[in-house]
Amino acid sequence: MARITVEDCIDKFPSRFELVLVASNRARKLYAGENPTVEIDNDKNTVIALREIAEETLTKEKLKNDLIEEYQTNNFSEDQELDEDVNELEENSNENQIEKQESDSVEISQNVKNDDDLTDEISVEASQDSLDDSSDEDTTENL
């Protein structure tokens, strides 16, 4: 067969865009090592892919499914692993929040204790000052 063009294959797919996507995906697969379904004739992978489409050696559904699989990033087992990872992260986050709340409550109780100690010290100092002041007054009165 002579050189093939996109116009020779356009009747196989409803749009040029879809044809180009499918043909380029098939050419990449040929480059990666898949066996062609037509004679190679020293042609490049893009020409071989277009010839396969024109001669309908591969079905449209097969070509479309190959394209879809190429662009899929997750499969079922990866989705399960992703769900497990998300659940683990949520559990760790909850544990961290609980630990933070516990440490915050310990810190607050220590601050309250320190405030109570400080209040007691101030009270003791104030009462000592008032005692000192009263003894000074008593001595001046006695004089």
Side-chain angles (χ1 to χ4, degrees):
M1 179 185 255
R3 285 282 186 194
I4 191 158
T5 63
V6 173
E7 284 78 24
D8 298 328
C9 302
I10 197 67
D11 60 334
K12 310 294 189 238
F13 287 91
S15 73
R16 289 174 184 258
F17 179 73
E18 188 174 354
L19 172 63
V20 169
L21 284 175
V22 169
S24 64
N25 186 55
R26 181 64 185 153
R28 280 192 297 273
K29 288 189 176 279
L30 290 170
Y31 180 76
E34 281 195 19
N35 294 326
T37 58
V38 295
E39 290 184 31
I40 297 175
D41 294 335
N42 202 24
D43 289 329
K44 294 184 179 180
N45 291 332
T46 52
V47 174
I48 295 170
L50 288 172
R51 284 183 40 217
E52 288 177 339
I53 293 169
E55 294 177 17
E56 295 180 350
T57 58
L58 298 171
T59 63
K60 286 181 9 177
E61 289 76 26
K62 167 104 171 85
L63 292 168
K64 285 181 183 180
N65 287 337
D66 286 346
L67 178 66
I68 291 169
E69 288 174 7
E70 185 75 26
Y71 286 103
Q72 285 180 334
T73 56
N74 291 338
N75 59 25
F76 187 69
S77 63
E78 289 176 350
D79 287 342
Q80 287 178 339
E81 291 173 8
L82 181 64
D83 288 342
E84 291 171 1
D85 291 344
V86 167
N87 289 338
E88 185 178 331
L89 287 174
E90 288 175 350
E91 289 173 5
N92 289 341
S93 175
N94 290 339
E95 289 174 5
N96 289 341
Q97 287 178 350
I98 291 170
E99 289 175 3
K100 182 171 177 6
Q101 289 173 350
E102 289 174 353
S103 68
D104 287 349
S105 64
V106 167
E107 186 178 324
I108 289 171
S109 64
Q110 287 175 346
N111 288 342
V112 167
K113 185 178 179 208
N114 290 342
D115 288 347
D116 288 344
D117 292 344
L118 184 60
T119 304
D120 291 343
E121 287 177 19
I122 292 172
S123 298
V124 168
E125 288 176 7
S127 62
Q128 285 178 352
D129 288 343
S130 65
L131 283 175
D132 290 342
D133 290 342
S134 65
S135 64
D136 288 343
E137 291 174 2
D138 290 341
T139 54
T140 54
E141 287 177 9
N142 291 335
L143 290 173

